[in-house]
Amino acid sequence: MGFNESRRCSVWLKRMPAPIRLRELIRTIRTARTQAEEREMIQKECAAIRSSFREEDNTYRCRNVAKLLYMHMLGYPAHFGQLECLKLIASQKFTDKRIGYLGAMLLLDERQDVHLLMTNCIKNDLNHSTQYVQGLALCTLGCMGSSEMCRDLAGEVEKLLKTSNSYLRKKAALCAVHVIRKVPELMEMFLPATKNLLNEKNHGVLHTSVVLLTEMCERSPDMLAHFRKLVPQLVRILKNLIMSGYSPEHDVSGISDPFLQVRILRLLRILGRNDDDSSEAMNDILAQVATNTETSKNVGNAILYETVLTIMDIKSESGLRVLAINILGRFLLNNDKNIRYVALTSLLKTVQTDHNAVQRHRSTIVDCLKDLDVSIKRRAMELSFALVNGNNVRGMMKELLYFLDSCEPEFKADCASGIFLAAEKYAPSKRWHIDTIMRVLTTAGSYVRDDAVPNLIQLITNSVEMHAYTVQRLYKAILGDYSQQPLVQVASWCIGEYGDLLVSGQCEEEEPIQVTEDEVLDILESVLISNMSASVTRGYALTAIMKLSTRFTCTVNRIKKVVSIYGSSIDVELQQRAVEYNALFKKYDHMRPALLERMPVMEKVTTNGPAEIVQTNGETEPAVLETKPPPSGLQPANQANDLLDLLGGSDITPVIPTAPTNKPAAAGGELLDLLGDLNLTGIPSITAYNKNGLKIDFTFERSNTNPSVTVITIQASNSTELDMTDFVFQAAVPKTFQLQLLSPSSSVIPAFNSGTITQVIKVLNPQKQQLRMRIKLTYNHKGSAMQDLAEVNNFPPQSWQ
């Protein structure tokens, strides 16, 4: 450097003041009284930092980047400091490298190309002579390394995993976890280095080693089988932790290294799942952990909870499972709300497999319904419904009805639906069933879901001997109160069907009431004119009045007047009904008694669920429903015959070709050809997804207007005991296809296969290529957000050829 240049540099340094320190910046920002004042300070400091970066000021670069990182943590943009971080990483000073690597971890990720420039620097630092520099490089690679960086540097990480330095080994193990997540095929590279990891006495290395083994087992079935031989070694380590005396380095609230214990228990859970030998080897140690762990502190509860999850997930002995459920039962008595919530959630997962053991804690679970915490109430309600069976249905329904009466509005709809389902499944008698439903209708009011009304009507219709009792109870329930719409709808329907039983006073189950025909009509007319009545409710009332015209003898003229009045109603639906009913009175009066006769006993058939309701000697019983696909070609033949019948061709036998042919078709085939492509070749449906109780079925149709378009209808059903909410179905196809996804029928999949969601997908396949699809499913279930990806490759050839 020449004399003049050095002189200019010294003059510049005198003229340019040194930037403020990080502590001064923090103190200044904290004095800001308003957000605007804080923004002004930040902008001023950022301008000074930018100027310093432009001048390539090496002296204060580290200080400026540190201030920039603080401003980034406050939420202000700091992207212009990315390259400066790389310059600090390349510096020989440890203080510069530390801030540079910290800035890289905060400001860079895989989306920026700048991070690729770091690969060489990280590689050099991984081979540095100072362990702390190597540690910085390992931390950065394990935090934000891309798949390309992981491929380039995996060999260096593997070398450090074998080093004798425990400080580097634990960091290398965690870095290897990140490498495996980014590039799973590199997993085998780390297999030789894992042999001696569990022999390490340093708890930090042991902890990170267990994390690495867990990651490898979760990602590869081969690795899982390979590491099962380590179960005795893991059991020995866990036993030493339990039996070891006081160690100030690892003691937390009187427990030796609870973090390592939890990690080992998680790994044992993975290794013991679906494996008898491994489960047998860990049964004793799990029992020791469950009985010897101190429960007065939260640390002990964390270990016990992990132990319970492990016991429930492996093939453990029945006595050990009972012990685990008893631990959860003790959690329910804990004063900590979080522990109670965890216990309820865990019991809900295990109630299907260990129902009797959970039943022992029924009274404690029911007490949780009175908890002030909303989350605990919801979990307790869900678990209470799962515990209902034929032996305790009366007591449990009494508690749940009390809860329904006093709970918050957001619980009422779910609670009412749960009571309906439980009562239908376990009702000890028809009368008890109807009384329970009546109690729900009068308690939950308008919170009862719409689909409950037709289901209740079906139940009442099938209970032939209870018609008089039911209609009398419903009549009393709606006297003077029309605010509860589901109750009024069911009552109106029953009064219309069984109004003659109501006025006759024939009721053996209860003291009969004396009701006249005019009083019954007064109630229904009040429903019609009430401002609280919805349009659907008015429709029920008007139809009930019309039906009573064949059941009452003295008030037919009054009924005619009421019906004629609503012929000019502004409600189009009500007007149409009234006009049709007027036509019955005037033109088709001879047909009216037959048209308005009492509804027959209904058969409930659930095509989407595991059972249907069939009629057996007047009693409804569940029966297994077998849904078999129709024989090949049967449905097209029926369609063809129906079409030919309409055209008068009853003597023509249709011939439906199953493959293209040049031979002359039969008369039926020619006629069908004249009418265009009727898509008579049936396309078999497929199951695209079936996991965790969620089942997605695809049914197919080929568009008549465009043969290249396949119309796929998805049907989503839920076999678990709880509804799946906020359901979203997404699909993607290769670029040679075009896909249109229409709106779904709902966002809630009802539990117990009691309903389905349908959604239509249209796929344009102009090149007639084999159809492939990737689907993404998101929904909420049991309070958790669920997400899964799947690929569908088994589309039938008829859907795309």
Side-chain angles (χ1 to χ4, degrees), residues 176-244:
V177 171
H178 180 78
V179 172
I180 289 171
R181 286 174 181 168
K182 287 294 179 184
V183 193
E185 56 265 27
L186 294 178
M187 196 182 306
E188 290 187 8
M189 176 187 290
F190 300 103
L191 188 58
T194 59
K195 290 182 180 178
N196 300 319
L197 283 177
L198 293 182
N199 296 326
E200 181 69 42
K201 296 191 177 177
N202 183 288
H203 281 217
V205 178
L206 267 178
H207 189 123
T208 54
S209 302
V210 172
V211 173
L212 176 60
L213 295 177
T214 303
E215 187 69 26
M216 295 171 78
C217 290
E218 285 180 336
R219 290 186 172 270
S220 169
D222 295 333
M223 292 292 174
L224 179 60
H226 175 77
F227 287 126
R228 279 203 169 112
K229 63 186 179 184
L230 297 178
V231 169
Q233 195 172 354
L234 290 166
V235 167
R236 189 164 57 252
I237 294 170
L238 189 56
K239 190 170 185 178
N240 290 337
L241 287 171
I242 297 171
M243 301 302 178
S244 64

Side-chain angles (χ1 to χ4, degrees), residues 1 12 89 133 195 229 234 298 302 345 446 456 483 485 514 531 543 569 604 620 656 748 760-761:
M1 184 183 291
W12 180 83
I89 290 171
V133 174
K195 290 182 180 178
K229 63 186 179 184
L234 290 166
N298 209 31
T345 304
S446 297
L456 301 182
S483 60
Q485 296 300 290
Q514 298 299 319
N531 292 328
T543 302
S569 173
K604 183 178 180 182
T620 55
I656 304 167
V748 178
V760 175
I761 310 171

Side-chain angles (χ1 to χ4, degrees), residues 94 212 216 274 304 530 581 587 696 735:
F94 178 76
L212 176 60
M216 295 171 78
N274 301 321
L304 282 176
S530 173
Y581 296 157
K587 297 182 180 179
I696 308 289
K735 292 181 179 179

Side-chain angles (χ1 to χ4, degrees), residues 625-670:
L625 176 66
E626 298 181 358
T627 54
K628 298 181 180 178
S632 175
L634 178 60
Q635 186 176 355
N638 289 341
Q639 290 178 347
N641 284 327
D642 292 343
L643 180 60
L644 294 173
D645 287 343
L646 291 174
L647 296 173
S650 58
D651 56 338
I652 301 175
T653 303
V655 177
I656 304 167
T658 58
T661 177
N662 294 324
K663 296 179 181 179
E670 292 173 355

Side-chain angles (χ1 to χ4, degrees), residues 437-503:
I437 288 172
M438 287 289 301
R439 177 79 182 275
V440 174
L441 286 175
T442 53
T443 303
S446 297
Y447 292 102
V448 175
R449 289 178 178 148
D450 293 340
D451 60 346
V453 174
N455 290 335
L456 301 182
I457 288 173
Q458 181 267 334
L459 167 70
I460 293 168
T461 306
N462 289 349
S463 307
V464 179
E465 69 280 6
M466 302 299 295
H467 287 169
Y469 172 76
T470 305
V471 71
Q472 183 170 309
R473 288 287 309 276
L474 287 167
Y475 176 80
K476 289 180 181 177
I478 66 168
L479 279 174
D481 182 13
Y482 316 119
S483 60
Q484 304 180 71
Q485 296 300 290
L487 173 65
V488 177
Q489 289 170 17
V490 175
S492 299
W493 190 92
C494 288
I495 291 171
E497 287 293 317
Y498 315 119
D500 51 337
L501 300 177
L502 179 61
V503 297

Side-chain angles (χ1 to χ4, degrees), residues 42-299:
I42 296 288
Q43 288 169 1
K44 185 177 178 181
E45 187 59 33
C46 283
I49 291 173
R50 279 194 176 94
S51 298
S52 180
F53 287 163
R54 280 196 296 270
E55 298 292 342
E56 292 292 335
D57 179 13
N58 296 327
T59 308
Y60 298 112
R61 180 180 285 127
C62 181
R63 181 184 296 181
N64 286 330
V65 171
K67 291 188 290 186
L68 201 59
L69 295 180
Y70 175 71
M71 290 185 280
H72 169 74
M73 289 188 289
L74 291 180
Y76 294 95
H79 56 278
F80 59 88
Q82 292 172 354
L83 283 173
E84 304 304 316
C85 293
L86 299 184
K87 293 174 184 176
L88 288 175
I89 290 171
S91 171
Q92 296 303 313
K93 293 182 180 179
F94 178 76
T95 52
D96 286 355
K97 282 184 178 293
R98 185 175 58 180
I99 295 297
Y101 276 123
L102 178 61
M105 286 187 276
L106 289 176
L107 301 181
L108 299 180
D109 58 33
E110 292 184 45
R111 290 171 292 182
Q112 277 108 15
D113 295 332
V114 182
H115 80 283
L116 294 173
L117 302 174
M118 295 172 53
T119 305
N120 208 33
C121 292
I122 292 179
K123 186 170 185 177
N124 291 334
D125 287 341
L126 288 174
N127 295 303
H128 202 276
S129 57
T130 306
Q131 65 173 0
Y132 300 109
V133 174
Q134 291 175 290
L136 286 176
L138 285 169
C139 284
T140 305
L141 179 60
C143 177
M144 46 74 65
S146 66
S147 55
E148 292 83 2
M149 292 175 67
C150 290
R151 282 192 179 92
D152 294 339
L153 301 172
E156 312 297 326
V157 176
E158 194 262 344
K159 287 179 190 175
L160 292 174
L161 200 55
K162 294 178 179 178
T163 185
S164 59
N165 188 327
S166 58
Y167 173 81
L168 291 177
R169 289 183 79 187
K170 67 180 181 182
K171 290 183 178 292
L174 289 180
C175 188
V177 171
H178 180 78
V179 172
I180 289 171
R181 286 174 181 168
K182 287 294 179 184
V183 193
E185 56 265 27
L186 294 178
M187 196 182 306
E188 290 187 8
M189 176 187 290
F190 300 103
L191 188 58
T194 59
K195 290 182 180 178
N196 300 319
L197 283 177
L198 293 182
N199 296 326
E200 181 69 42
K201 296 191 177 177
N202 183 288
H203 281 217
V205 178
L206 267 178
H207 189 123
T208 54
S209 302
V210 172
V211 173
L212 176 60
L213 295 177
T214 303
E215 187 69 26
M216 295 171 78
C217 290
E218 285 180 336
R219 290 186 172 270
S220 169
D222 295 333
M223 292 292 174
L224 179 60
H226 175 77
F227 287 126
R228 279 203 169 112
K229 63 186 179 184
L230 297 178
V231 169
Q233 195 172 354
L234 290 166
V235 167
R236 189 164 57 252
I237 294 170
L238 189 56
K239 190 170 185 178
N240 290 337
L241 287 171
I242 297 171
M243 301 302 178
S244 64
Y246 173 73
S247 173
E249 299 176 49
H250 311 119
D251 186 84
V252 179
S253 299
I255 294 176
S256 178
D257 205 341
F259 304 101
L260 180 56
Q261 288 193 45
V262 166
R263 281 292 178 184
I264 292 174
L265 287 166
R266 287 183 186 174
L267 181 54
L268 288 175
R269 180 160 76 246
I270 296 169
L271 295 173
R273 188 180 297 144
N274 301 321
D275 188 81
D276 292 326
D277 295 335
S278 300
S279 299
E280 178 66 28
M282 62 183 77
N283 272 335
D284 290 343
I285 190 64
L286 291 175
Q288 288 182 42
V289 175
T291 52
N292 294 338
T293 303
E294 178 64 41
T295 59
S296 60
K297 302 287 185 179
N298 209 31
V299 178

